[in-house]
Amino acid sequence: MIKRELYMKRIRPFIGTDLIKVMTGIRRCGKSVMLELIKQELQENGINQAQFISINFENMNYAHLQTAKALHDEITKRAAGIDGKVYLFFDEIQEVEDWEKCINSFRVALDCDIYITGSNAKLLSGELATYLGGRYVEFIIYPFSFAEFLELYKPLASDESIAKCFQKYLLAGGMPYLANIMYEDGPSKQYLQDLFNSVQLKDIVKRNKIRDVDLLERIITYVMANVGNTFSATSVAKFLKSERRTVAPETIMNYIKYCCEAYLLYQVKREDLQGKQILASNEKYYLADHGIREAVFGGNMRQINLTLENIVYLELIRRGYTVTVGKYGEKEIDFICHKQEAKLYVQVTYLLASEETIQREFGVYNSIQDNFPKYVVSMDELDMSQNGIRHYNIRDFLLAEEWK
């Protein structure tokens, strides 16, 4: 179990407070491990394990607690026998009907510290916001970064260079469980395919009562093939029409929205840098884990540009940046990143192999007259920084604690 300090650093200030700590993210990204890390930290700070009540609602042993009333009665009874503050840990809370009501009731009636996880972004919309308005903090948990992947993979492949480890990361991705099967190719691929099917079935089809599963699969395949490319619902509709499926663009947008709510996809809006406005069409989408794309769809090496872009995008949001795609006239900047007062620009390409590519990747910044950091990230080993624009090898970019 690695420490995942990036998240612990954010969660730590809220430990012991009456705010509900909510961890969301794609199924199997390590949310349950975060609960274990929090328990570990509490014990190190002198909290007795007897004060913990933990329930994982994917475990059939707790099927009888999947209503607000049943869960409320059970926890109230168990908490009565505990001296001092009670620490509540609920994994995959969305399985409990009307869970918001009993969580709010615990917050009001018990001396407790509450931690919950869920695999759906809708967890924090609508009713929860009404019941818990301003009384929770959310932390999105992502699959392993390259740095986290290295912590577990390097001991298994001690002779391999960092460059060789990165090639493995390009194909395997960052789902934590792969370390348990030693990152072996066949079992890893099967695990990721099964995980994808599970997300599709449990978190998308069942949750949203989708009847046309074939249509959903076609739309996901299209988005996977076009990761990092701008497209519209109309262009997906045209593609499906060529496959003899007539679908309204609204239906397509709804299906993609369901995939985003299950954290399978992330939508990135476009920003017009001249008009200083967010554009309403032709967004980009990235996958929660590029390893899933390789296992289900293949082509991570064939379309390495898109894979690298996906990896960099996830690294940016993992570090807390809000990311948009920049449009300046005819030119496009891969990522514009904001975090409080900080802002930076990132271009991602496979190799700066020709003068033309160098001109294109660095030249995209010519019209941007501000002093915020500008980066070009690629697989090149030589530093090609120029005109105040910093070039990074992608491995160095992903492993740097701070970008200079």
Side-chain angles (χ1 to χ4, degrees):
M1 200 160 70
I2 66 170
K3 285 290 186 193
R4 306 209 84 176
E5 187 55 27
L6 178 77
Y7 304 106
M8 285 306 296
K9 218 160 45 188
R10 292 173 192 164
I11 296 167
R12 207 168 274 127
F14 299 99
I15 290 177
T17 69
D18 64 352
L19 289 172
I20 294 156
K21 277 65 72 180
V22 185
M23 280 155 272
T24 55
I26 189 171
R27 193 174 281 272
R28 304 280 165 268
C29 68
K31 299 185 294 294
S32 308
V33 170
M34 291 311 304
L35 294 184
E36 292 308 316
L37 289 170
I38 292 162
K39 286 180 201 171
Q40 220 174 62
E41 186 135 326
L42 285 166
Q43 284 178 274
E44 284 165 13
N45 292 333
I47 305 296
N48 190 330
Q49 202 175 345
Q51 292 168 253
F52 300 164
I53 300 176
S54 301
I55 297 177
N56 182 342
F57 291 102
E58 285 196 312
N59 185 333
M60 282 300 289
N61 289 332
Y62 300 113
H64 64 293
L65 298 178
Q66 290 187 357
T67 66
K69 177 83 172 78
L71 181 59
H72 181 269
D73 293 349
E74 173 74 12
I75 297 301
T76 307
K77 189 173 77 188
R78 284 168 67 175
I82 293 173
D83 281 338
K85 192 187 274 281
V86 180
Y87 294 82
L88 302 174
F89 300 91
F90 299 127
D91 217 346
E92 300 297 352
I93 192 76
Q94 75 273 355
E95 303 298 333
V96 179
E97 198 183 326
D98 290 334
W99 62 270
E100 311 92 325
K101 293 177 183 173
C102 68
I103 293 291
N104 193 41
S105 176
F106 299 149
R107 193 189 62 74
V108 172
L110 298 175
D111 176 15
C112 64
D113 189 11
I114 305 174
Y115 302 84
I116 62 178
T117 78
S119 303
N120 196 283
K122 263 171 46 184
L123 202 65
L124 293 176
S125 64
E127 272 202 71
L128 177 60
T130 311
Y131 276 101
L132 302 176
R135 296 192 183 92
Y136 65 84
V137 279
E138 183 195 10
F139 307 94
I140 300 176
I141 310 297
Y142 302 97
F144 284 164
S145 64
F146 180 48
E148 290 175 315
F149 167 86
L150 269 183
E151 264 189 71
L152 291 175
Y153 182 68
K154 197 75 178 87
L156 302 174
S158 49
D159 298 341
E160 289 189 5
S161 64
I162 301 294
K164 199 95 176 75
C165 293
F166 184 67
Q167 285 184 2
K168 183 71 176 178
Y169 184 65
L170 275 172
L171 295 172
M175 293 312 285
Y177 190 80
L178 298 186
N180 296 11
I181 45 180
M182 306 299 189
Y183 291 100
E184 285 185 31
D185 293 347
S188 295
K189 189 172 182 182
Q190 186 182 342
Y191 171 78
L192 291 171
Q193 286 170 344
D194 290 346
L195 168 64
F196 170 75
N197 291 334
S198 170
V199 170
Q200 189 171 273
L201 186 65
K202 288 185 183 172
D203 300 323
I204 302 172
V205 173
K206 248 173 82 176
R207 172 164 282 277
N208 299 290
K209 300 180 173 61
I210 290 174
R211 291 204 186 95
D212 196 340
V213 179
D214 173 67
L215 175 63
L216 174 71
E217 285 173 353
R218 285 167 191 256
I219 291 170
I220 292 176
T221 302
Y222 182 91
V223 178
M224 275 194 179
N226 287 282
V227 154
N229 290 327
T230 51
F231 61 83
S232 64
T234 314
S235 57
V236 185
K238 278 182 188 158
F239 163 75
L240 291 169
K241 200 169 183 184
S242 73
E243 294 201 331
R244 296 184 172 75
R245 293 291 315 253
T246 306
V247 190
E250 292 87 328
T251 306
I252 291 164
M253 284 320 294
N254 281 335
Y255 278 25
I256 291 176
K257 185 174 94 184
Y258 300 151
C259 294
C260 292
E261 285 169 354
Y263 294 102
L264 178 64
L265 300 175
Y266 288 91
Q267 183 193 67
V268 188
K269 294 194 175 295
R270 290 193 311 148
E271 181 180 346
D272 185 341
L273 291 170
Q274 285 167 301
K276 295 194 169 28
Q277 59 178 5
I278 297 294
L279 301 168
S281 65
N282 286 12
E283 298 92 355
K284 282 188 178 188
Y285 291 88
Y286 293 98
L287 265 171
D289 180 66
H290 57 281
I292 293 177
R293 184 182 190 269
E294 175 63 27
V296 175
F297 183 75
N300 274 13
M301 288 307 199
R302 259 196 333 275
Q303 295 174 299
I304 192 162
N305 242 12
L306 302 184
T307 310
L308 297 179
E309 230 177 87
N310 204 118
I311 290 169
V312 169
Y313 169 72
L314 278 172
E315 187 64 27
L316 292 165
I317 58 171
R318 199 182 276 116
R319 294 190 187 206
Y321 286 95
T322 303
V323 179
T324 53
V325 174
K327 180 181 177 296
Y328 198 101
E330 293 303 301
K331 290 179 177 170
E332 187 179 277
I333 295 159
D334 289 334
F335 302 122
I336 303 171
C337 319
H338 298 267
K339 183 161 62 172
Q340 287 132 14
E341 298 307 304
K343 180 179 182 181
L344 52 93
Y345 301 89
V346 184
Q347 272 300 94
V348 184
T349 190
Y350 171 38
L351 288 170
L352 297 164
S354 65
E355 192 52 42
E356 188 190 337
T357 312
I358 293 168
Q359 287 303 322
R360 185 182 69 235
E361 301 301 333
F362 284 88
V364 82
Y365 293 128
N366 289 346
S367 323
I368 300 170
Q369 303 300 315
D370 65 28
N371 294 319
F372 292 112
K374 299 169 182 71
Y375 302 105
V376 173
V377 175
S378 75
M379 295 274 285
D380 296 277
E381 299 294 337
L382 296 175
D383 185 346
M384 300 194 197
S385 302
Q386 56 178 262
N387 305 330
I389 299 161
R390 180 75 201 270
H391 170 245
Y392 265 101
N393 171 279
I394 187 163
R395 300 187 306 275
D396 297 336
F397 185 79
L398 297 173
L399 295 175
E401 277 191 35
E402 278 182 49
W403 298 311
K404 295 186 172 61

